[in-house]
Amino acid sequence: MNHIGIISNNLSKMEQKVHTLQKKSRQQSFHVHHPRQLQQFNLKKYDLLITSSAYIDDVMNHAHHLTKIAVCISHVAEDQVERLLQMNLDGYLTPNMTNSELIHAINMILQGDVYVHPRFSSTLLHSYRTYIKIKIERPLNLLTKKEWLVLEHIANGSSNQVIAKKMGISSSTVKNHISSIFKKFGVNNRTDAVLKAIRNNWIIV
């Protein structure tokens, strides 16, 4: 049984959606949470979390590092595409997907594939080609998704306070992520961490 969490501020509409999905797919358990409830629930139990782009940062900050994350977006601006690609998400969905399409997408994501709705494929492909002018090859399980994001912010010159604000976490949590990055990289400072990541083509600046 796979557990799917849907984060939405429209609980009544999503609960109706979940009720229908539950009837169609007996192998998944669907649950709906309001964004304000993220800290109240154990998100570690979920195999997949689905949310809108408005709450993607909060979801990533509270989700377990092994949990797959998909974003549901009605339209994609160029700068938003680049940001979403950098976040290493597992799925790009649209609110207008049929129940069958959504279940197919969920199954693909749970099997380890990245699902991109056809509506976004050309836009995402164009941005992806731009994004990987230098091929990025990140070793599996070296850093968590949040740690990679913190490292990218560091590479862009952001302070701990700025990173904390962008990611919606405390400065102490940012410091913990940075300490973990240093330990895993075998370095002692931010500059060496960024240089190591650049030399290995793990990030682009």
Side-chain angles (χ1 to χ4, degrees):
M1 174 73 72
N2 294 119
H3 299 282
I4 316 298
I6 299 177
I7 313 301
S8 172
N9 60 358
N10 192 339
L11 295 183
S12 59
K13 180 179 179 180
M14 281 299 106
E15 285 172 352
Q16 293 177 2
K17 182 80 169 177
V18 160
H19 182 69
T20 304
L21 291 173
Q22 196 69 75
K23 288 183 176 179
K24 286 182 168 290
S25 179
R26 299 295 182 182
Q27 297 181 353
Q28 276 107 27
S29 174
F30 294 89
H31 306 272
V32 182
H33 298 301
H34 193 278
R36 291 195 300 266
Q37 300 175 317
L38 287 175
Q39 297 184 23
Q40 303 174 24
F41 292 89
N42 179 18
L43 297 184
K44 292 182 180 180
K45 72 177 183 179
Y46 290 110
D47 301 290
L48 169 63
L49 291 171
I50 301 173
T51 188
S52 68
S53 56
Y55 307 114
I56 190 66
D57 289 311
D58 287 337
V59 169
M60 286 194 68
N61 291 332
H62 291 92
H64 188 265
H65 71 277
L66 294 179
T67 301
K68 297 181 182 302
I69 299 175
V71 63
C72 185
I73 39 183
S74 56
H75 66 279
V76 181
E78 185 176 347
D79 58 341
Q80 186 182 26
V81 172
E82 293 178 359
R83 179 171 178 271
L84 293 174
L85 285 171
Q86 291 173 15
M87 294 174 78
N88 246 353
L89 302 177
D90 300 286
Y92 299 85
L93 315 175
T94 172
N96 299 322
M97 294 172 69
T98 66
N99 292 328
S100 297
E101 287 177 326
L102 185 54
I103 290 174
H104 172 68
I106 289 172
N107 287 332
M108 279 188 62
I109 294 170
L110 291 174
Q111 290 170 8
D113 295 319
V114 175
Y115 177 86
V116 179
H117 189 274
R119 178 178 177 183
F120 306 132
S121 57
S122 59
T123 305
L124 288 170
L125 180 59
H126 174 74
S127 296
Y128 181 70
R129 285 172 174 167
T130 302
Y131 182 69
I132 59 167
K133 286 180 180 178
I134 300 175
K135 188 176 181 180
I136 295 178
E137 294 182 346
R138 292 177 175 173
L140 296 176
N141 303 321
L142 177 59
L143 300 184
T144 66
K145 290 181 180 180
K146 294 176 187 176
E147 288 169 349
W148 283 119
L149 189 56
V150 167
L151 182 61
E152 288 168 357
H153 285 311
I154 291 173
N156 289 325
S158 298
S159 66
N160 288 8
Q161 291 76 15
V162 171
I163 296 172
K165 184 176 181 180
K166 287 181 177 179
M167 295 182 63
I169 57 180
S170 67
S171 293
S172 61
T173 301
V174 173
K175 289 180 181 178
N176 290 337
H177 284 316
I178 293 174
S179 295
S180 177
I181 293 169
F182 288 175
K183 183 177 180 180
K184 292 175 179 178
F185 277 15
V187 299
N188 298 313
N189 57 68
R190 297 159 73 102
T191 300
D192 286 345
V194 171
L195 286 175
K196 182 168 184 174
I198 292 173
R199 288 168 182 159
N200 287 281
N201 292 331
W202 295 341
I203 63 172
I204 296 176
V205 294

